[in-house]
Amino acid sequence: MSRSMPQPEYGIDPGELLAWFDTAERDLPWRRPEVTAWQILVSEFMLQQTPVNRVEPIWLDWIARWPTPSATAAASAADVLRAWGKLGYPRRAKRLHECAAVVAAEHGDVVPADVETLLGLPGVGTYTARAIACFAYRQRVPVVDTNVRRVVARVVHGVAETPARAGDLAEVAALLPEGLAAPRFSAALMELGAIVCTARNPRCGICPLSACRWKSAGYPPASTPARRVQRYAGTDRQVRGRLLDVLRAGTGPVTRAQLDVAWLTDTAQRDRALDSLLTDGLVEQTSTGLFALAGEGDDAGEGRAR
DNA sequence: ATCCGGAAAT
DNA sequence: ATTTCAGGAT
């Protein structure tokens, strides 16, 4: 195209990125070499929309208690929901429990390695399937999360952020180095987005990449007027959280009155939240009309005979 | 396009 | 008080 000047590459130099990662990589427990594919899967479920710092202690307890899919599947849903604690989005815990049952029963207690099969598992979507294929099985597949999307938007496209697009996977695939370096490259790209090329206050002064279109363009701010944020206080989500707090705190079924005190300001909202928890299968009603965490009355995982 | 937690940082 | 955080399901 342009013949006067050599066009700058503005890809992402694997050498620069990987050299930086060698020195800056965080020592996260699920990156240790002895960690199994299942345990990596557990970390990916927990990390969905949740910061690393909050996941770490819960993941450590979790894999010590339930190291395999079959061990997880043998636990009761109630025990799984209690172990999940206040990590948030408890439907993830239920999906993880369901995922464990599928892997144990249909895949010989071994996490599948191919993306297509992974995508069929409960709670495994576009990102998580490829993260497992890449980080657990060392495959050269594109792993696109919010960090990667942001880094590519800035370094390659010169804009502060871009919405998710259908072409994101192909674009990131084209950035991957050939051969065995791809998984580490993907981990490094995510790490760069997490600790240098961050959403709010990027630390461009310590960025290892010498070529960045966003830098060349003078760090233009986001053009789109910040999509409407999902609030939390006063929403059904908060009410659901309060109701689950009550059920997690106890050791068995509770009365409706015990649940009601969790949210007194809007009884219609409280009823709606409880309905949604029942619909999601996170809460169950006993034959005597009490409420309990799903599987609370079952003896699965309790080591008792029927 | 919406819903789904909760905590820490700013 | 707002923003952000290793997304998925509907």
Side-chain angles (χ1 to χ4, degrees):
Chain A
M1 294 303 199
S2 137
R3 61 176 76 145
S4 53
M5 300 284 285
Q7 202 73 10
E9 254 303 310
Y10 285 125
I12 294 178
D13 185 332
E16 290 178 347
L17 183 62
L18 291 169
W20 166 79
F21 194 46
D22 285 342
T23 68
E25 177 179 9
R26 290 172 293 180
D27 180 27
L28 303 179
W30 45 85
R31 288 177 174 166
R32 295 189 311 244
E34 69 273 19
V35 173
T36 67
W38 170 254
Q39 293 162 356
I40 290 173
L41 181 151
V42 172
S43 79
E44 293 298 346
F45 271 64
M46 292 182 174
L47 286 162
Q48 291 166 3
Q49 295 289 283
T50 308
V52 163
N53 300 333
R54 288 179 52 201
V55 167
E56 200 165 334
I58 297 188
W59 182 86
L60 288 169
D61 291 344
W62 190 287
I63 63 138
R65 184 175 183 184
W66 299 307
T68 64
S70 53
T72 313
S76 72
D79 283 345
V80 164
L81 287 169
R82 283 205 178 84
W84 193 263
K86 295 179 76 68
L87 206 49
Y89 293 133
R91 290 191 298 191
R92 291 183 295 167
K94 181 155 180 56
R95 290 180 192 135
L96 179 56
H97 193 220
E98 293 164 358
C99 183
V102 172
V103 172
E106 299 179 19
H107 300 285
D109 218 21
V110 176
V111 176
D114 64 290
V115 170
E116 285 309 311
T117 308
L118 285 163
L119 284 169
L121 297 174
V124 176
T126 304
Y127 162 75
T128 304
R130 288 171 180 79
I132 294 165
C134 175
F135 301 135
Y137 293 112
R138 322 305 299 169
Q139 293 177 51
R140 187 179 175 281
V141 296
V143 181
V144 182
D145 73 331
T146 181
N147 286 312
V148 171
R149 199 150 29 233
R150 184 174 55 250
V151 171
V152 171
R154 290 174 178 172
V155 176
V156 179
H157 299 294
V159 297
E161 57 189 52
T162 58
R165 293 168 169 278
D168 288 346
L169 282 177
E171 179 175 27
V172 172
L175 294 172
L176 297 178
E178 295 299 329
L180 301 177
R184 190 161 175 81
F185 178 89
S186 284
L189 206 51
M190 292 175 62
E191 193 84 334
L192 188 71
I195 66 184
V196 175
C197 195
T198 54
R200 257 185 308 196
N201 298 114
R203 306 167 66 189
C204 298
I206 64 168
C207 183
L209 302 182
S210 57
C212 174
R213 279 205 162 124
W214 196 47
K215 176 182 180 180
S216 301
Y219 306 112
S223 53
T224 59
R227 59 182 175 80
R228 211 197 74 201
V229 290
Q230 234 176 346
R231 69 203 181 290
Y232 174 58
T235 62
D236 289 4
R237 292 161 63 201
Q238 185 179 26
V239 182
R240 284 165 56 103
R242 292 291 179 81
L243 294 173
L244 283 181
D245 279 343
V246 173
L247 294 169
R248 275 194 304 258
T251 56
V254 305
T255 65
R256 179 59 192 259
Q258 289 176 281
L259 275 184
D260 283 351
V261 299
W263 195 261
L264 298 169
T265 56
D266 184 339
T267 58
Q269 184 181 36
R270 184 184 63 210
D271 294 351
R272 186 168 65 243
L274 180 54
D275 273 344
S276 74
L277 288 171
L278 290 162
T279 298
D280 286 347
L282 297 171
V283 176
E284 287 173 356
Q285 198 163 12
T286 70
S287 54
T288 55
L290 300 176
F291 294 89
L293 289 177
E296 189 85 79
D298 303 352
D299 49 18
E302 299 300 325
R304 296 195 301 262
R306 284 185 176 278

